[in-house]
Amino acid sequence: METVSIKDKNFRLSITAEEIEKAVSEVAQRINHDLKDTNPLFICVLNGAFMFAADLMKHVDLPCEISFVKLASYEGTSSTGKIKEMIGLKEDITGRTVVVVEDIVDTGFTMQNILDSLQKKGAKSIHVCTFLQKPEALQCDICVDYVAMKIPNEFIVGYGLDYDGYGRNLKAIYTLI
Ligand code: IMP
Ligand code: MG
């Protein structure tokens, strides 16, 4: 599929499923290397990161756990900067090596909010792994340790990312035309 229509918008193919697979495997290998001798807790940020987290975990060969938090900030195609926590973290992360798994770091407000809340909970170290980053859109002073792919400051859907709830099931990434 070269283009897809979701609701009132059209999107063109910009990153293929094969390119995604390669980038996800590469970022997992970096984590395997850097975090060897730890038993990390991966924290997947729902909803958007569900597909990335699932694929990433298949390539991680460390003894590890995964848990989920749910946040919402986007309305339509622009970041509101207001973040609501819908499901919080139940695990005790004291002394743990934590890897936050996100779909995309855009302005960075969501990630900053997550990091602020995790930093109070006594983790040994906190790492950030995002599938996508829009470096031009970043407005926060956060350190993103692992980025599978960098993209221009454009609205995209697919591979877990949505436009008004739709498009998360697409295997590839599509950019708004
Ligand atoms: P931030 O707080 O501006 O960094 O936005 C982060 C959240 O906004 C991500 O976790 C996504 O869920 C969502 N988001 C950012 N850019 C896009 C996009 O291009 N398409 C779909 N969702 C996006
Ligand atoms: Mg997200």
Side-chain angles (χ1 to χ4, degrees):
M1 275 190 299
E2 284 301 312
T3 60
V4 294
S5 300
I6 301 174
K7 295 194 171 179
D8 56 329
K9 304 215 183 299
N10 295 314
F11 297 82
R12 62 175 165 79
L13 178 65
S14 51
I15 308 176
T16 65
E18 291 69 30
E19 289 167 329
I20 293 173
E21 209 178 298
K22 185 165 176 279
V24 173
S25 149
E26 283 169 3
V27 85
Q29 298 321 323
R30 288 182 52 209
I31 291 174
N32 286 335
H33 173 267
D34 295 352
L35 301 186
K36 70 173 181 310
D37 304 325
T38 73
N39 61 327
L41 171 66
F42 289 84
I43 299 178
C44 169
V45 184
L46 298 172
N47 292 333
F50 78 96
M51 202 175 278
F52 173 51
D55 285 344
L56 180 76
M57 296 302 285
K58 293 178 210 165
H59 293 282
V60 169
D61 56 21
L62 308 166
C64 61
E65 293 178 276
I66 184 163
S67 188
F68 302 85
V69 294
K70 180 162 174 160
L71 304 169
S73 78
Y74 247 58
E75 275 166 25
T77 58
S78 65
S79 193
T80 61
K82 285 176 272 170
I83 292 129
K84 280 188 291 186
E85 189 177 276
M86 327 287 282
I87 302 176
L89 189 68
K90 307 279 184 296
E91 281 74 9
D92 178 8
I93 62 165
T94 317
R96 297 293 305 263
T97 299
V98 170
V99 183
V100 182
V101 181
E102 248 297 26
D103 53 356
I104 187 164
V105 175
D106 181 9
T107 61
F109 287 119
T110 306
M111 188 51 72
Q112 187 162 60
N113 189 280
I114 295 167
L115 293 174
D116 286 349
S117 111
L118 289 177
Q119 264 144 14
K120 293 179 199 135
K121 297 187 176 172
K124 182 173 161 211
S125 61
I126 303 172
H127 310 263
V128 175
C129 176
T130 184
F131 169 50
L132 298 174
Q133 183 176 16
K134 295 179 186 171
E136 297 152 29
L138 192 65
Q139 294 180 36
C140 298
D141 183 20
I142 53 169
C143 168
V144 184
D145 309 80
Y146 303 101
V147 181
M149 301 185 117
K150 292 186 177 163
I151 58 166
N153 192 7
E154 294 170 324
F155 188 78
I156 54 94
V157 290
Y159 198 69
L161 291 109
D162 70 306
Y163 166 50
D164 266 358
Y166 286 82
R168 295 192 194 275
N169 53 318
L170 296 164
K171 287 189 200 62
I173 292 290
Y174 293 81
T175 301
L176 182 65
I177 300 172

